[in-house]
Amino acid sequence: MKVVSFSCKIYDRQQLCRSFPPSWDSQTVEPILDKHTVVYAKDADVVSAFVNDQLNAEILQILAGYGVKMVALRCAGFNHVDLAAAHRLGIKITRVPAYSPYAVAEHTIGLMLALNRKLYKAYNRVREGNFALNGMLGFDFYGKTVGVIGAGKIGRLVGERMKAFGCQVLVYDPYECSACEALGLEQVPLATLYQRCDVITLHCPLTAETNHLINADSIAKMKKGVMLINTGRGALMEPESLVAGLKSAQIGYLGMDVYEKEGALFFEDHSCEIIQDDVFERLLSFPNVLVTGHQAYFTQEAITHIAETTRDNIQMFMDGELLLNEVTA
Ligand SMILES: NC(=O)c1ccc[n+]([C@@H]2O[C@H](COP(=O)([O-])OP(=O)(O)OC[C@H]3O[C@@H](n4cnc5c(N)ncnc54)[C@H](O)[C@@H]3O)[C@@H](O)[C@H]2O)c1
């Protein structure tokens, strides 16, 4: 049984070594899976892949040709997989449905607090002996209205926690959220959420419908100076309209853990290179923008759970059992 895991940093490799049975021929590859690296999967039975690995029809076709029968995603989102092609080629796809919704919810709130109270500026100022408070003025979250788009596991945890800050929390989800009422989260139409919220945070999956959900039109419907947070998926936001919204001060704060073109940047050290993505660089130039590199999930609990669930998914496949975490077209 040969398992090749792509996008494996040192911390992934260590965790997979701890979690995968020693009887498996388990190999880890640091680069992302793409047409240049796919060759590492030769003779593998199973490939394990992460968020920015390319699993389009072309790559899946090559994997099938190598004899790969299963792709075990080490992430929840599967927007990067051509499920129809996988089905056609007889490749099973599984995922880790929730590794730690707490990790992502806590990071989301961390971005909100850091942006509001400019903690990223305070860190540098104080270290340089600058204790001046000009430019550091924040606001009380108490009494503000927070909008959560996507009332799933993460969205509800964020909503619950913002309730504890004394916020009113509105949620938008196309499906009825039966758990929301008991948590004190008010389900409203999207237009109402845009109109009433001081803070808007994205927790819906990336689909054809939610692609560029945050664009010039939707930003124009929001309150002036809104705080926007995205720990969902980069392409939920259209980056050029974020730049325009920040320039006009329609957006007062922007926190992002994900970015549409993050595949070319995130999880790698580019500090000695000239970054070619001008829109990304423009976003970083604003004093009221805080970007983290897809680290919201990154807690010990989450990476342990990812590795163990991936192991269980692969074991179920080997044993011919029903794949509980299978995703299909
Ligand atoms: N930054 C990270 O490290 C990280 C880690 C894990 C997950 N995520 C992202 O967070 C997202 C949410 O995760 P989750 O575990 O809460 O998922 P979930 O499936 O529990 O919840 C998603 C919710 O979004 C709703 N939804 C579907 N279409 C929608 C639409 N058009 N508009 C609004 N809501 C819609 C669903 O009904 C569901 O309630 C994932 O899809 C993933 O992209 C990011």
Side-chain angles (χ1 to χ4, degrees):
M1 174 70 172
K2 182 169 168 183
V3 182
V4 176
S5 302
F6 285 85
S7 294
C8 280
K9 300 293 176 211
I10 179 74
Y11 41 85
D12 299 307
R13 192 176 317 140
Q14 286 166 342
Q15 189 57 52
L16 293 180
C17 279
R18 279 195 289 270
S19 302
F20 282 7
S23 57
W24 293 0
D25 175 7
S26 168
Q27 297 180 11
T28 55
V29 178
E30 182 157 355
I32 63 161
L33 170 60
D34 62 17
K35 62 182 178 195
H36 306 292
T37 61
V38 65
V39 67
Y40 287 112
K42 219 165 181 201
D43 303 324
D45 302 287
V46 176
V47 157
S48 106
F50 198 48
V51 278
N52 290 321
D53 286 320
Q54 292 174 18
L55 289 155
N56 52 34
E58 185 191 353
I59 302 283
L60 288 166
Q61 178 81 55
I62 300 171
L63 290 177
Y66 289 159
V68 172
K69 298 164 205 71
M70 176 196 201
V71 173
L73 298 174
R74 304 195 305 278
C75 53
F78 48 87
N79 51 283
H80 55 312
V81 186
D82 187 331
L83 292 176
H87 178 72
R88 200 173 58 245
L89 295 162
I91 296 179
K92 297 280 186 193
I93 310 286
T94 57
R95 65 177 184 136
V96 181
Y99 16 103
S100 173
Y102 305 100
V104 183
E106 288 166 13
H107 190 80
T108 303
I109 291 164
L111 287 175
M112 290 180 192
L113 295 174
L115 273 167
N116 175 14
R117 307 306 293 269
K118 285 103 180 148
L119 299 181
Y120 49 100
K121 286 188 186 196
Y123 176 81
N124 289 320
R125 270 198 196 182
V126 169
R127 284 166 76 97
E128 287 174 8
N130 177 359
F131 303 97
L133 294 183
N134 54 312
M136 306 297 255
L137 192 67
F139 62 82
D140 289 4
F141 274 103
Y142 179 83
K144 296 295 182 296
T145 304
V146 175
V148 175
I149 299 184
K153 292 175 285 296
I154 297 169
R156 290 201 303 273
L157 287 174
V158 171
E160 241 184 308
R161 281 148 183 70
M162 294 317 290
K163 287 288 290 182
F165 277 82
C167 296
Q168 184 179 11
V169 179
L170 309 183
V171 298
Y172 167 72
D173 198 292
Y175 304 99
E176 196 193 328
C177 174
S178 49
C180 284
E181 200 182 337
L183 297 171
L185 315 177
E186 186 188 343
Q187 197 165 358
V188 296
L190 192 54
T192 310
L193 186 146
Y194 286 150
Q195 196 192 350
R196 284 178 45 197
C197 290
D198 304 291
V199 178
I200 296 178
T201 180
L202 305 179
H203 303 289
C204 54
L206 177 63
T207 61
E209 194 193 337
T210 60
N211 190 56
H212 289 182
L213 179 72
I214 304 304
N215 55 35
D217 282 351
S218 52
I219 292 169
K221 292 177 186 152
M222 296 174 193
K223 276 191 177 179
K224 184 139 183 108
V226 66
M227 177 186 283
L228 278 182
I229 306 287
N230 186 7
T231 60
R233 280 289 177 269
L236 295 174
M237 294 175 143
E238 203 259 317
E240 286 81 2
S241 34
L242 295 175
V243 172
L246 286 157
K247 283 172 79 174
S248 69
Q250 175 69 6
I251 300 172
Y253 311 80
L254 174 65
M256 309 194 306
D257 184 53
V258 285
Y259 173 64
E260 184 169 38
K261 294 181 182 153
E262 68 179 48
L265 296 169
F266 286 9
F267 305 122
E268 302 296 339
D269 179 0
H270 296 287
S271 57
C272 297
E273 296 166 21
I274 306 298
I275 291 178
Q276 298 296 324
D277 186 331
D278 291 350
V279 177
F280 185 71
E281 288 297 286
R282 181 66 179 110
L283 285 170
L284 289 186
S285 74
F286 291 98
N288 49 352
V289 171
L290 179 54
V291 179
T292 53
H294 209 138
Q295 69 172 82
Y297 77 98
F298 196 52
T299 63
Q300 183 57 53
E301 290 80 355
I303 65 167
T304 304
H305 189 72
I306 289 172
E308 291 179 352
T309 308
T310 303
R311 174 200 63 205
D312 294 347
N313 287 340
I314 296 171
Q315 191 66 54
M316 278 181 239
F317 176 73
M318 284 168 65
D319 296 344
E321 289 174 15
L322 180 72
L323 295 177
L324 295 178
N325 297 320
E326 183 173 8
V327 278
T328 49

